[in-house]
């Protein structure tokens, strides 16, 4: 019996050892699996963090691109071949993108954006996606040469701090029509009432066949008053844009009977009103103030004011700015406005759409490029220059005299690429893509 008992005790020690080995191996496997899981989780967390970095950087670049576009379209810089806004060259392309670095604490990420307004790209508005060239007459937005500065595909890219992660975002940018039908006024001067403000004005229109359109009588009696149209039997295509928009009396400059090489006088004090002056039009005279405004604009007065406010161009603004001098695009002035010698509103490449909700006094050598809409009385003194159109809403005769030079320049709707009007920039809904 003693011998049998001894052997049983030896077998008990072997079983304990085997159990201990199994437990040790199991613990080791658990530790290894846990370590691997920790490593995977760490890697996933690091990847997510760097992906988040890249996404944030790309979003920052997109915000920068949107802000840049809203401030002036695609051609704001002075490029190598010409002035800003005049050479129809996109500022930032895939070959020359806008780059930025974003630093948070000790970490720095990088990003870039660029614009593409080439024909038939992803943001074109063609009706048939199978068409690939502009010459097929697909009615697209860009044109073969990509000269439209008001619509584009913007691509933004962002990288993580170690450049291992990259995120790309694209979106379509465009504009909305501020004018009814997308076209601006077709005459240099339009009034709901009679006209008397241009007593000594020179009005030049080389685009259309009318100079003045009013709902009342023509009260102009100034000795120096004259209107000029493009010579008979000529077309706008016969001249360069600079010739069509010229306000210089070439031949010789300063001769009141020959204000340019591409004009012929139609009306003056001695000859009376010619065919270019339309008066006593009941269509205008019968309109209410809001109906008259609606004839020209695609938005209401309240909406127009909001557009200007969104662009920080509703004056006076929070910063106390009261004058639109130096501004372009959609501008709303609440109350009376006076522009004096040296003041310039708009530019040839970035015209203004100025609404004065009050009286407007244009004095001295002030210059305005674009469309002026005045709800009150218009006063002219000195020798200001307007390149665009003037629209008077008031039922009373405009006052003043002066020696204004008004040169009709269509803000949109001619055969040229449309300008970018500050305040009308917009994101195209549903166009956001990221990957």
């Amino acid at each position: 019996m003693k011998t049998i008992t001894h052997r049983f005790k030896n077998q008990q020690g072997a079983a304990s050892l085997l159990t201990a080995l199994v437990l040790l191996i199991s613990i080791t496997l658990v530790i290894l699996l846990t370590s691997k899981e920790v490593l995977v989780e760490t890697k996933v967390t690091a990847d997510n963090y760097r992906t988040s970095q890249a996404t944030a950087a790309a979003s920052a670049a997109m915000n920068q691109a949107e802000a840049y576009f809203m401030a002036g379209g695609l051609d704001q810089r002075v490029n190598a071949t010409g002035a800003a806004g005049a050479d129809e060259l996109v500022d930032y392309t895939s070959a020359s993108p806008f780059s930025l670095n974003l630093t948070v604490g000790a970490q720095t990420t990088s990003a870039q954006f660029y614009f593409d307004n080439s024909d038939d790209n992803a943001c074109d508005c063609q009706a048939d996606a199978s068409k690939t060239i502009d010459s097929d007459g697909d009615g697209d937005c860009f044109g073969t040469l990509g000269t439209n500065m008001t619509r584009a595909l913007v691509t933004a890219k962002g990288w993580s701090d170690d450049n291992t992660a990259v995120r790309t975002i694209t979106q379509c940018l465009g504009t909305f029509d501020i004018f009814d039908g997308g076209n601006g006024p077709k005459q240099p001067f339009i009034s709901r009432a009679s006209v008397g403000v241009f007593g000594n004005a020179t009005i030049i229109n080389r685009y259309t066949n009318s100079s003045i359109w009013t709902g009342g009588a023509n009260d102009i009696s100034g000795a120096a008053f004259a209107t000029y149209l493009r010579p008979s039997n000529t077309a706008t295509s016969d001249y360069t844009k600079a010739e069509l928009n010229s306000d210089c009396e070439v031949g010789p400059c300063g001769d009141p009977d020959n204000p340019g090489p591409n004009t012929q006088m139609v009306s003056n004090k001695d000859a009376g009103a010619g065919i270019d002056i339309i008066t006593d039009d009941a269509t205008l005279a019968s309109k209410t103030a809001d109906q008259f405004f609606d004839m020209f604009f695609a938005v209401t007065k309240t909406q127009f004011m909001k557009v200007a406010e969104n662009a920080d161009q509703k004056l006076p603004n929070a910063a106390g700015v009261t004058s639109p001098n130096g501004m372009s695009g959609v501008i709303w002035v609440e109350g009376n406005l006076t522009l004096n010698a040296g003041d310039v509103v708009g530019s040839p490449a970035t015209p203004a759409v100025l609404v004065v909700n009050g009286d407007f006094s244009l004095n001295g050598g002030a210059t305005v490029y674009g469309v002026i809409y005045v709800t009150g009385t218009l006063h002219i003194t000195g020798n200001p220059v307007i390149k665009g159109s003037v629209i008077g809403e008031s039922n009373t005769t405009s006052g003043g005299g002066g020696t204004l030079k008004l040169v009709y320049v269509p803000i949109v709707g001619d055969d040229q690429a449309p300008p970018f009007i500050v305040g009308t920039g917009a994101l195209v809904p549903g166009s956001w893509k990221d990957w």
Side-chain angles (χ1 to χ4, degrees):
M1 292 295 295
K2 290 183 179 180
T3 303
I4 295 172
T5 301
H6 178 72
R7 288 178 179 176
F8 178 76
K9 288 181 179 180
N10 288 342
Q11 289 175 351
Q12 269 189 328
S16 299
L17 180 61
L18 180 61
T19 301
L21 287 173
V22 170
L23 290 174
L24 181 60
I25 292 171
S26 299
I27 293 171
T28 302
L29 291 174
V30 170
I31 292 174
L32 290 174
L33 290 173
T34 303
S35 299
K36 184 177 180 181
E37 187 70 22
V38 170
L39 289 174
V40 171
E41 289 294 330
T42 300
K43 184 176 180 180
V44 169
T45 300
D47 288 346
N48 287 339
Y49 178 71
R50 288 182 170 81
T51 299
S52 297
Q53 281 187 320
T55 301
S59 296
M62 180 60 73
N63 291 338
Q64 185 84 7
E66 292 173 4
Y68 187 88
F69 178 80
M70 301 302 177
L74 305 177
D75 186 11
Q76 302 176 49
R77 295 192 303 167
V78 177
N79 292 308
T81 59
D87 52 14
E88 296 178 332
L89 294 177
V90 177
D91 290 338
Y92 299 107
T93 64
S94 58
S96 179
F98 180 95
S99 300
L100 60 155
N101 292 320
L102 308 165
T103 301
V104 178
Q107 297 175 335
T108 299
T109 57
S110 58
Q112 65 175 220
F113 71 80
Y114 57 86
F115 299 112
D116 176 13
N117 71 337
S118 61
D119 182 38
D120 292 341
N121 72 25
C123 293
D124 207 339
C125 52
Q126 59 185 4
D128 187 345
S130 67
K131 298 178 178 179
T132 59
I133 56 173
D134 182 58
S135 58
D136 56 19
D138 60 9
D140 60 23
C141 292
F142 297 118
T144 303
L145 300 179
T147 58
N148 187 338
M149 298 293 141
T150 67
R151 190 177 177 94
L153 170 69
V154 58
T155 299
K157 291 184 176 181
W159 287 267
S160 60
D161 56 350
D162 61 355
N163 292 325
T164 59
V166 60
R167 193 74 170 180
T168 301
I169 302 172
T170 63
Q171 187 169 218
C172 298
L173 302 176
T175 59
F176 63 89
D177 290 334
I178 196 70
F179 293 107
D180 188 36
N183 298 321
K186 297 298 185 183
Q187 295 80 19
F189 180 69
I190 304 167
S191 175
R192 194 160 64 105
S194 57
V195 55
V197 69
F198 295 140
N200 292 302
T202 296
I203 302 178
I204 304 171
N205 179 6
R206 299 184 182 94
Y207 285 90
T208 63
N209 295 322
S210 56
S211 299
I212 298 175
W213 180 26
T214 76
N218 174 24
D219 296 332
I220 297 175
S221 58
F225 166 75
T227 66
Y228 299 83
L229 297 179
R230 189 179 67 251
S232 301
N233 302 317
T234 64
T236 55
S237 58
D238 295 332
Y239 307 102
T240 65
K241 192 169 185 178
E243 290 172 333
L244 292 170
N245 299 348
S246 173
D247 63 349
C248 181
E249 288 91 334
V250 176
C253 194
D255 181 355
D257 295 323
N258 187 13
N262 325 312
T263 58
Q264 63 180 27
M265 187 174 66
V266 181
S267 304
N268 66 7
K269 180 179 179 298
D270 296 329
I275 59 173
D276 64 322
I277 298 179
I278 304 169
T279 61
D280 299 306
D281 190 331
T283 301
L284 298 182
S286 63
K287 299 289 186 184
T288 65
D290 287 341
Q291 289 173 338
F292 186 72
F293 188 87
D294 187 59
M295 287 180 62
F296 306 100
F297 296 97
V299 296
T300 65
K301 286 183 180 178
T302 301
Q303 291 169 335
F304 187 104
M305 183 172 61
K306 187 64 178 178
V307 170
E309 187 175 26
N310 290 340
D312 196 27
Q313 296 195 152
K314 177 180 178 286
L315 306 179
N317 62 15
V321 177
T322 59
S323 173
N325 180 37
M327 291 183 176
S328 296
V330 177
I331 307 169
W332 178 281
V333 177
E334 187 62 36
N336 298 335
L337 172 66
T338 298
L339 292 181
N340 296 307
D343 288 344
V344 179
V345 180
S347 73
T350 57
V353 185
L354 171 64
V355 172
V356 180
N357 193 26
D359 296 341
F360 182 34
S361 297
L362 194 58
N363 301 329
T367 303
V368 179
Y369 297 91
V371 174
I372 303 170
Y373 186 99
V374 184
T375 65
T377 301
L378 179 64
H379 300 274
I380 302 291
T381 61
N383 57 342
V385 175
I386 298 174
K387 286 198 170 186
S389 297
V390 179
I391 306 171
E393 176 188 284
S394 176
N395 272 323
T396 59
T397 301
S398 301
T403 56
L404 171 75
K405 183 171 289 184
L406 174 58
V407 181
Y408 176 65
V409 177
I411 188 170
V412 292
D414 65 343
D415 57 356
Q416 306 294 327
F420 183 88
I421 301 174
V422 176
T424 65
L427 307 179
V428 177
S431 64
W432 178 281
K433 293 183 181 180
D434 61 86
W435 58 90

